[in-house]
Structures are given as structure tokens and as C-alpha cells.
Amino acid sequence: MGTVHARSLDPLPMHGPELGVQADDIESAHIEPEPNQEVLENKDVVVQRVHIDGLGRTKEDLLTYEIADVFRAKNLIDVMRKSHAARQKLLRLGIFRKVEVVIDTSRGADALPNGLDVTFEVTELRRLTGSYSTMVGNNEGSMVMGLKLPNVFGRAEKLTCQFSYGTKETSYGVSFFKPQPGNFERNLTFNAYKVTGQFPWSSLRETDRGISAELSFPLWKTSQTLKWEGVWRELGCLARTASFAIREESGHSLKSSLSHSMSIDTRNSSILPRKGGLLKIHQELAGYTGGDASFLKEDFEIQLNKSLFWDSVLSASLWGGLLLPIGERATSIADRFYLGGPTSIRGFSMYSMGPQSEGDYLGGEAYWAGGLHLYTPLPFRPGKGGFGDLFRTHFFLNAGNLCNLNYGEGPQAHLKKLAECIRWSYGLGVLLRLGNIARLELNYCIPMGVQSGDR
């Protein structure tokens, strides 16, 4: 279990004062209106001007797209609603520390009797912000430092640098984010990185040095991502006792791949949803744009959540994946699937099931896993309406399998092999939701269908 202690050098609140009734508004209700003032709540109005005060390096043309709907408002309530929506869009850009909205009657020679002026008072983020944190996990401690340059060129671009110095490994990365003006969900991201990971279940150490380019965009109700990645991978043995199969995998390789991801997420929460569903599909094709790794990789995830009686929630999940080598070269241990642990099949050690050699787990080219979960309130509802609502009782049933396939046998043989020797587990426990960041589980698990070599 890892712990994180973080402190931001420059806290960045992403919200400002909300539109609503303030104390001053209540007091002003007793003041007699001037003759030229009218009550406009239920009357047609015209937004004549929209001002944005406080701009420094931000380009005005970027903000035109975000506030355009304000001009389409027809009455005061509509103006307030559209102004609040525009404020949320401005905050979403990640370039303002604070955004306030002021609505007033129009003034000047060309002012209409029902004309309104809307003013957005903004405070830009600093040109450079930083953060640092310490992390402890996987038998390693590390210090993570980050630098962010928001709004680099004035159109919501962001440059991020991160450096991690650990007791065992050192990693770093640089990322540049560029959204399309008027369509924040459509954006480009460029990355350059060096990441080192240790995988004790395979006695493997992997160092990746790579670059990537991503294009993200919405399509109908889905989120789509196209990505190219080129990575130089260095695999090595983590211990002298590593098996011969791991030593054979050691060395350098170059992977150049194109991938596509699609997701639909209607859940009300990603940590502990009460309703909605999730569908993720990912494809990766390596070898056609260079490199010495050639494969086609497909995987998916489905999750459905349903609220039941007595404030309980039933959740069902299904995952699956297939790795198909292209050509005569075998797949790399770095590209295969792994199964086992609290994120897949509880009761089994992390990634410690399936094909293995002398105690080192080699991963598989095909897998499936499923889960059925029932979340209920704590018995007798202690702390109801307060801290006690963060806890839930958890009943679960997990199952899955991981194996390698002989692709000359046909689909029926593949399905038969995936249906053999199914690992499964069941149990119960208590769950604690840590805000919208993570959740902590304490479970009693009974693993079943354990095969030779599983942990």
C-alpha cells in the first residue's frame, strides 16, 4: 500500500464565486428603484456588449468561442444561465485562477431600454507554477517535482515537465498540450519521456525512452483518441535468480505503433458509481511504421451499474484482450497481458497467474476477466448523513483466465482454451471512498480454481 504526501507550491483553485443571491442583493431589495430601472426577469432583453477584464497574455479570439452563447440569451434568467455556462467554459481552459461575472444594464448613447452588459472579470494563472510530492510504494521511495507553463502562447496551450528521483529509479517527461479554439475536447498532445519500471512478479526491469503524439476528439457520444508512439525499450533482469525465459527477453527493442481508443462513459462517478455504464475499446498496430515489434493488440472493458433497494448498488464488469503476432517473431513480454490482484481477480497476487517459468510470470496473449459486485451501506448505518456514508459493504465474485493461443487451431479451439482452468474468487469486505481520487478496500478473499504455479 503506497502513501502520497503532496504540497503544491502554487495552489490553483479552478473555481470562482458562484452566481447567486448575495447578502448585498438582499439588502438592495429594500431600495426604491430609480425611474430608469425596470424589473427584467420576465421581459425580453438584449445582450449588447460582453466585456472581459483582466486579460494579459490571453488572446481575445480564443475567448470569443466560449462566450458566444451569451449574446443569444432572451431574458434575464437565460442571461444568468448562459453566463454561468460561459464561466465554466473559461475555467475549463485551465488558464484562469478566478472568473467572476457581473451583469448590468447597458449605458451610453446607444443603450437600449432592455439592453444588458455582461462583464467577465478574470485573473490569469502565473506564467510558471510548480509542485513537488513524495511517494512511497513498491518498496521504493521517490520525490516528484513538476513545472507547468499554462497558456504558453495565449491560446490555452500548456507545457508540463515532470521529474521523479527515486531510491532505485529516475524518470522524467515533457508534455505539450494544444486545444482547438472553440472545441476544447479536440486537442493535440506531444510527449517525450524516459520511464523505468520494476516488475518483481517477472523479475524484470524495463526502461522506456520514447516520444508520442495524440489527437483526441469527440464523436457523437464517444471520446476518440488516435496515437502514434515510438519507444526504445531496454529490458533487463531484476535479480540474479531470474529464469532463463526472462534472460532471453532481455535486451533492446524498438516499437513504433499506431493505436486508437474509443470510450463512452455515462457513470456518475469513476471511483464508486451508482448508475451508468462504461465502454472502452483499444486497438494497437505495431510494425508498419518501423521498429522490430510487430503485432496487433485488441482489448476492451465493459461496466454496468444499477442502483437497487436499500441504497445498494449492483455492478458488473467484463474485460478481454487478444495479442496477435505479425510475422514469425514472437511477442515481447512487455506487450503481453497480465492478470491477478485487486484490480482484476482478487485473492491472487498481483499479475501472478498464467504462463510462467521458474516462478517468473511471462504474461499471456489472450485473457478475459469478469466481476460482479454488490455495494451496500454499513449495517445499522452508523454515521448516516456524514462520515459514515464514505464507507460501503462490499460483496464480490471475480473470474477470469489468461493463456497463450495456437492461432492455427481456429476460433472454437481458442474459446475452449479460454474456458478451461478458470480462476475465480469470492469474498466480502469494507470499502472507503477517498473523495473522487481513489478508494481503499479491506477484503476477505477466497480464491478458487487455483492452477499450478499461481500465487
Side-chain angles (χ1 to χ4, degrees), residues 37-57:
Q37 292 181 335
E38 297 183 22
V39 180
L40 302 175
E41 283 84 347
N42 299 317
K43 294 187 178 182
D44 290 340
V45 299
V46 176
V47 177
Q48 291 190 262
R49 285 176 290 271
V50 176
H51 307 276
I52 301 180
D53 295 339
L55 293 183
R57 61 186 184 278

Short mmCIF file of all heavy atoms in Angstrom, two decimals, residues 37-57:
data_model
loop_
_atom_site.label_atom_id
_atom_site.label_comp_id
_atom_site.label_asym_id
_atom_site.label_seq_id
_atom_site.Cartn_x
_atom_site.Cartn_y
_atom_site.Cartn_z
N GLN A 37 -34.90 52.40 -14.15
CA GLN A 37 -34.65 50.98 -13.94
C GLN A 37 -35.96 50.22 -14.05
O GLN A 37 -37.02 50.70 -13.69
CB GLN A 37 -34.03 50.73 -12.56
CG GLN A 37 -32.61 51.28 -12.43
CD GLN A 37 -32.03 50.97 -11.06
OE1 GLN A 37 -32.77 50.80 -10.11
NE2 GLN A 37 -30.72 50.90 -10.99
N GLU A 38 -35.88 49.00 -14.57
CA GLU A 38 -37.04 48.16 -14.71
C GLU A 38 -36.72 46.75 -14.22
O GLU A 38 -35.57 46.34 -14.19
CB GLU A 38 -37.48 48.08 -16.18
CG GLU A 38 -37.91 49.41 -16.77
CD GLU A 38 -38.39 49.24 -18.19
OE1 GLU A 38 -38.77 48.11 -18.55
OE2 GLU A 38 -38.37 50.23 -18.93
N VAL A 39 -37.75 46.05 -13.84
CA VAL A 39 -37.59 44.64 -13.49
C VAL A 39 -37.60 43.82 -14.77
O VAL A 39 -38.59 43.84 -15.51
CB VAL A 39 -38.72 44.18 -12.54
CG1 VAL A 39 -38.54 42.72 -12.18
CG2 VAL A 39 -38.74 45.04 -11.28
N LEU A 40 -36.49 43.13 -15.05
CA LEU A 40 -36.32 42.49 -16.35
C LEU A 40 -36.40 40.97 -16.31
O LEU A 40 -36.16 40.32 -17.32
CB LEU A 40 -34.95 42.89 -16.94
CG LEU A 40 -34.70 44.38 -17.13
CD1 LEU A 40 -33.27 44.62 -17.58
CD2 LEU A 40 -35.68 44.97 -18.12
N GLU A 41 -36.73 40.41 -15.13
CA GLU A 41 -36.66 38.96 -15.01
C GLU A 41 -37.50 38.25 -16.07
O GLU A 41 -37.08 37.28 -16.67
CB GLU A 41 -37.12 38.51 -13.61
CG GLU A 41 -36.09 38.72 -12.51
CD GLU A 41 -36.12 40.14 -11.96
OE1 GLU A 41 -36.76 40.99 -12.59
OE2 GLU A 41 -35.49 40.39 -10.92
N ASN A 42 -38.73 38.74 -16.30
CA ASN A 42 -39.64 38.05 -17.19
C ASN A 42 -39.84 38.78 -18.52
O ASN A 42 -40.76 38.48 -19.27
CB ASN A 42 -41.00 37.87 -16.51
CG ASN A 42 -40.89 37.04 -15.25
OD1 ASN A 42 -40.20 36.03 -15.23
ND2 ASN A 42 -41.58 37.46 -14.19
N LYS A 43 -38.99 39.75 -18.79
CA LYS A 43 -39.11 40.50 -20.03
C LYS A 43 -37.98 40.14 -20.97
O LYS A 43 -36.92 39.67 -20.56
CB LYS A 43 -39.07 42.01 -19.74
CG LYS A 43 -40.28 42.51 -18.95
CD LYS A 43 -40.25 44.02 -18.84
CE LYS A 43 -41.49 44.54 -18.11
NZ LYS A 43 -41.50 46.02 -18.04
N ASP A 44 -38.21 40.37 -22.23
CA ASP A 44 -37.17 40.13 -23.22
C ASP A 44 -36.03 41.14 -23.04
O ASP A 44 -36.28 42.33 -22.80
CB ASP A 44 -37.74 40.26 -24.63
CG ASP A 44 -38.69 39.12 -24.96
OD1 ASP A 44 -38.62 38.08 -24.29
OD2 ASP A 44 -39.51 39.28 -25.89
N VAL A 45 -34.82 40.67 -23.15
CA VAL A 45 -33.66 41.54 -23.02
C VAL A 45 -32.73 41.30 -24.20
O VAL A 45 -32.84 40.31 -24.91
CB VAL A 45 -32.91 41.29 -21.68
CG1 VAL A 45 -33.79 41.58 -20.49
CG2 VAL A 45 -32.36 39.87 -21.64
N VAL A 46 -31.80 42.21 -24.38
CA VAL A 46 -30.79 42.10 -25.43
C VAL A 46 -29.43 42.31 -24.80
O VAL A 46 -29.20 43.32 -24.11
CB VAL A 46 -31.02 43.14 -26.54
CG1 VAL A 46 -29.89 43.07 -27.57
CG2 VAL A 46 -32.37 42.93 -27.20
N VAL A 47 -28.52 41.35 -24.98
CA VAL A 47 -27.15 41.50 -24.51
C VAL A 47 -26.41 42.31 -25.57
O VAL A 47 -26.11 41.82 -26.66
CB VAL A 47 -26.48 40.13 -24.28
CG1 VAL A 47 -25.03 40.33 -23.85
CG2 VAL A 47 -27.25 39.35 -23.22
N GLN A 48 -26.10 43.56 -25.24
CA GLN A 48 -25.48 44.45 -26.21
C GLN A 48 -23.96 44.31 -26.24
O GLN A 48 -23.35 44.37 -27.31
CB GLN A 48 -25.86 45.91 -25.90
CG GLN A 48 -27.34 46.21 -26.15
CD GLN A 48 -27.61 47.70 -26.07
OE1 GLN A 48 -28.05 48.19 -25.05
NE2 GLN A 48 -27.34 48.43 -27.15
N ARG A 49 -23.37 44.15 -25.09
CA ARG A 49 -21.91 44.08 -25.03
C ARG A 49 -21.47 43.03 -24.00
O ARG A 49 -22.14 42.85 -22.96
CB ARG A 49 -21.30 45.43 -24.66
CG ARG A 49 -21.31 46.44 -25.80
CD ARG A 49 -20.77 47.78 -25.32
NE ARG A 49 -21.72 48.44 -24.41
CZ ARG A 49 -22.69 49.25 -24.82
NH1 ARG A 49 -22.85 49.52 -26.10
NH2 ARG A 49 -23.50 49.82 -23.94
N VAL A 50 -20.36 42.37 -24.30
CA VAL A 50 -19.71 41.46 -23.36
C VAL A 50 -18.27 41.90 -23.21
O VAL A 50 -17.53 42.00 -24.22
CB VAL A 50 -19.78 40.00 -23.84
CG1 VAL A 50 -19.00 39.09 -22.88
CG2 VAL A 50 -21.22 39.52 -23.93
N HIS A 51 -17.87 42.21 -21.99
CA HIS A 51 -16.51 42.65 -21.71
C HIS A 51 -15.75 41.55 -20.97
O HIS A 51 -16.35 40.79 -20.19
CB HIS A 51 -16.51 43.92 -20.84
CG HIS A 51 -17.35 45.03 -21.39
ND1 HIS A 51 -16.89 45.92 -22.33
CD2 HIS A 51 -18.64 45.39 -21.12
CE1 HIS A 51 -17.85 46.79 -22.62
NE2 HIS A 51 -18.92 46.49 -21.90
N ILE A 52 -14.46 41.47 -21.21
CA ILE A 52 -13.59 40.58 -20.45
C ILE A 52 -12.46 41.43 -19.89
O ILE A 52 -11.62 41.94 -20.65
CB ILE A 52 -13.02 39.45 -21.32
CG1 ILE A 52 -14.17 38.62 -21.93
CG2 ILE A 52 -12.12 38.53 -20.50
CD1 ILE A 52 -13.72 37.49 -22.82
N ASP A 53 -12.48 41.63 -18.59
CA ASP A 53 -11.47 42.45 -17.92
C ASP A 53 -10.42 41.56 -17.26
O ASP A 53 -10.74 40.51 -16.70
CB ASP A 53 -12.14 43.32 -16.85
CG ASP A 53 -13.10 44.34 -17.45
OD1 ASP A 53 -12.95 44.64 -18.65
OD2 ASP A 53 -13.99 44.82 -16.72
N GLY A 54 -9.18 41.99 -17.31
CA GLY A 54 -8.10 41.28 -16.64
C GLY A 54 -7.22 40.46 -17.55
O GLY A 54 -6.34 39.73 -17.07
N LEU A 55 -7.41 40.56 -18.87
CA LEU A 55 -6.59 39.78 -19.79
C LEU A 55 -5.18 40.35 -19.88
O LEU A 55 -4.99 41.56 -19.92
CB LEU A 55 -7.22 39.77 -21.19
CG LEU A 55 -8.55 39.03 -21.35
CD1 LEU A 55 -8.99 39.06 -22.80
CD2 LEU A 55 -8.44 37.60 -20.85
N GLY A 56 -4.22 39.44 -19.90
CA GLY A 56 -2.83 39.82 -20.08
C GLY A 56 -2.29 39.20 -21.34
O GLY A 56 -2.31 39.79 -22.41
N ARG A 57 -1.82 37.94 -21.22
CA ARG A 57 -1.23 37.27 -22.38
C ARG A 57 -2.25 36.44 -23.16
O ARG A 57 -1.92 35.90 -24.22
CB ARG A 57 -0.09 36.37 -21.93
CG ARG A 57 -0.49 35.27 -20.96
CD ARG A 57 0.74 34.52 -20.46
NE ARG A 57 0.42 33.39 -19.60
CZ ARG A 57 0.15 33.49 -18.31
NH1 ARG A 57 0.17 34.68 -17.74
NH2 ARG A 57 -0.13 32.42 -17.59
#
